[in-house]
Amino acid sequence: MIVAGDQQLLKQINRMALVRQLCSEPGLSRAALAETVGLTKSTVSLLVRELMDEGWLTETELRATGALGRRATPLQLDGSRLALLGADLGIDTARIVATNLLGEVLEERVLPYQDGADATACIAAVGEVLVELSRAGGALAGRTMLGAGIGLHGVVDDATGVLHYAPHLGWRNVDVGSQLRAQFDGTPLAGLPLFIQNEANVAALAELEFAGQSGADPLIYLSIGYGVGAGIIVNGRLMTGQFGFAGEVGHTILQQGGPPCSCGRRGCADALIGLQALVDEVYGKAGVSPAQADRLFEQSAAGEATAARAVEAAGRNLGVLLNNLWVAFDPMCIVLGGAALRLGGRLIEPARRVLDDYASATLLPAPAIRTPHFGLNAIAIGGCAIVRHYLMRPFVAQETARRSPAKSSALAAELATSSWAWS
């Protein structure tokens, strides 16, 4: 749906076009910006002045060009006056960070849950820390908050802020957005943008917005935790699908007639690669827990035979999934993230070998495979990244907001009551 006649939206699109251009090419002058984005020099000068006053942009030292006349003044993003907030509502612990516009971490908190099954209490605890950071001094003193982004380990309707199902937490149909907005009333966060999204999606946006790499689009962030999910970036945009549920690759079939999956089918990626499946295979179906996962990591590192065989097999199946993602999306880069990365090369190297075998057969170079730039904070920093991403793309943000809540909620309700276990 195209909205015509909204002059404020048009102005904001033009403003953010300048900011995005300086993200990819810091140091451009006003004249160079005008030429690059196709706006008049007077319009660019006016918009740049506004963006500098608001803390988005700053000038650097004058640059000699050798040409006659006034020297060009380079512009770049200002990392000193604005702040973004992000949170990762993990399985047993939440991680909350504040970054500047460049993704540099200014403050971080780690918050163990008192009771991970109590969704309301966990969300409230995270909200308290977000409010605390919005009022903090130190590195955040004097900064203007732009908004907050939340990464959730489950099926998220990004248009409504509802978490429909988080299988490893047992949360169903939790309105995370409404709960946090109510908690933000009367605080510096009241009325600011709040974005709720699946954890793999926000982690993918962290790589897009803050990793500083060019030539990595399309990009896929493959999250391997208790289950498997993916965040997919195409043409600088997050691919969320019609209802916001794209990227749930944990239920693509890798092995016909393979081990049963919690979704009711057999041979899914979740049942062959996820930590839940690995722990079940090595220790029996006693249910995965942080302690059981730690035990698997330790025994695999020590070369214990059963654990080593299970991880090797999971790695080979991961290679099949990587090949399928390569064929489907032709990405420049696939980033492997999630808790399973603690298995290190014991998981990743078998996957690389399988992918390289497929690549050799096609005589085509496989996409680059790497780990996240942001370690344990990948999802929390992704929460900050989603704020910057949508603020710099105001029309895309409006498209998301206009997605039909009725259709989205109806489909999500059907999914949440099925046996499908999402990552």
Side-chain angles (χ1 to χ4, degrees), residues 247-313:
E248 291 293 344
V249 300
H251 297 287
T252 55
I253 303 298
L254 301 185
Q255 187 182 108
Q256 190 174 13
C261 182
S262 55
C263 72
R265 301 184 300 171
R266 305 184 72 91
C268 294
D270 262 19
L272 293 163
I273 302 170
L275 286 177
Q276 174 80 60
L278 283 173
V279 168
D280 286 349
E281 181 177 348
V282 176
Y283 306 116
K285 295 185 179 295
V288 73
S289 67
Q292 287 279 57
D294 286 342
R295 183 182 175 196
L296 174 69
F297 299 145
E298 292 167 2
Q299 291 191 337
S300 172
E304 193 278 326
T306 303
R309 282 195 301 271
V311 173
E312 168 81 16

Side-chain angles (χ1 to χ4, degrees), residues 362-418:
T362 63
L363 302 179
L364 292 171
I369 306 295
R370 64 169 175 81
T371 54
H373 282 93
F374 305 107
L376 294 175
N377 280 333
I379 298 167
I381 291 176
C384 299
I386 196 172
V387 179
R388 193 182 96 157
H389 181 78
Y390 282 121
L391 289 181
M392 292 198 311
R393 295 162 179 82
F395 195 74
V396 177
Q398 285 209 0
E399 285 179 344
T400 300
R402 285 194 297 266
R403 188 183 297 132
S404 169
K407 290 182 180 179
S408 187
S409 297
L411 177 60
E414 181 179 339
L415 290 169
T417 56
S418 74

Side-chain angles (χ1 to χ4, degrees), residues 78-395:
D78 189 342
S80 66
R81 291 190 286 163
L82 302 177
L84 311 161
L85 294 173
D88 168 16
L89 271 71
I91 303 304
D92 55 357
T93 301
R95 304 185 75 90
I96 302 104
V97 303
T99 74
N100 64 12
L101 277 182
L102 306 175
E104 297 165 343
V105 175
L106 306 171
E107 295 282 352
E108 64 179 292
R109 303 281 190 276
V110 178
L111 181 67
Y113 298 145
Q114 296 296 318
D115 178 5
D118 188 339
T120 300
C122 293
I123 295 165
V126 169
E128 287 178 11
V129 176
L130 290 170
V131 171
E132 174 193 330
L133 288 177
S134 74
R135 292 170 167 158
L140 296 177
R143 290 178 182 265
T144 300
M145 295 291 167
L146 293 179
I150 313 296
L152 301 172
H153 295 246
V155 182
V156 179
D157 183 344
D158 57 345
T160 63
V162 173
L163 171 69
H164 289 294
Y165 187 33
H168 301 294
L169 282 165
W171 298 0
R172 286 183 182 270
N173 297 321
V174 180
D175 194 342
V176 179
S178 292
Q179 183 173 332
L180 286 174
R181 287 187 185 94
Q183 196 168 357
F184 293 163
D185 281 348
T187 78
L189 300 180
L192 292 183
L194 174 64
F195 300 96
I196 315 290
Q197 187 53 271
N198 171 267
E199 50 91 17
N201 287 339
V202 298
L205 287 174
E207 299 293 326
L208 173 72
E209 296 292 337
F210 295 144
Q213 285 194 321
S214 58
D217 181 353
L219 177 145
I220 297 174
Y221 184 100
L222 186 61
S223 177
I224 311 169
Y226 291 171
V228 181
I232 303 164
I233 303 290
V234 179
N235 292 330
R237 292 178 59 170
L238 184 64
M239 181 178 173
T240 57
Q242 183 179 6
F243 298 109
F245 304 147
E248 291 293 344
V249 300
H251 297 287
T252 55
I253 303 298
L254 301 185
Q255 187 182 108
Q256 190 174 13
C261 182
S262 55
C263 72
R265 301 184 300 171
R266 305 184 72 91
C268 294
D270 262 19
L272 293 163
I273 302 170
L275 286 177
Q276 174 80 60
L278 283 173
V279 168
D280 286 349
E281 181 177 348
V282 176
Y283 306 116
K285 295 185 179 295
V288 73
S289 67
Q292 287 279 57
D294 286 342
R295 183 182 175 196
L296 174 69
F297 299 145
E298 292 167 2
Q299 291 191 337
S300 172
E304 193 278 326
T306 303
R309 282 195 301 271
V311 173
E312 168 81 16
R316 292 195 299 271
N317 284 305
L318 173 57
V320 176
L321 178 58
L322 292 175
N323 175 74
N324 293 348
L325 293 172
W326 173 27
V327 171
F329 297 101
D330 193 19
M332 295 287 292
C333 179
I334 300 178
V335 182
L336 300 181
L341 254 64
R342 284 184 58 189
L343 294 167
R346 297 176 297 280
L347 178 71
I348 295 175
E349 290 311 313
R352 287 185 186 275
R353 289 195 294 270
V354 170
L355 182 61
D356 287 344
D357 285 345
Y358 286 125
S360 296
T362 63
L363 302 179
L364 292 171
I369 306 295
R370 64 169 175 81
T371 54
H373 282 93
F374 305 107
L376 294 175
N377 280 333
I379 298 167
I381 291 176
C384 299
I386 196 172
V387 179
R388 193 182 96 157
H389 181 78
Y390 282 121
L391 289 181
M392 292 198 311
R393 295 162 179 82
F395 195 74

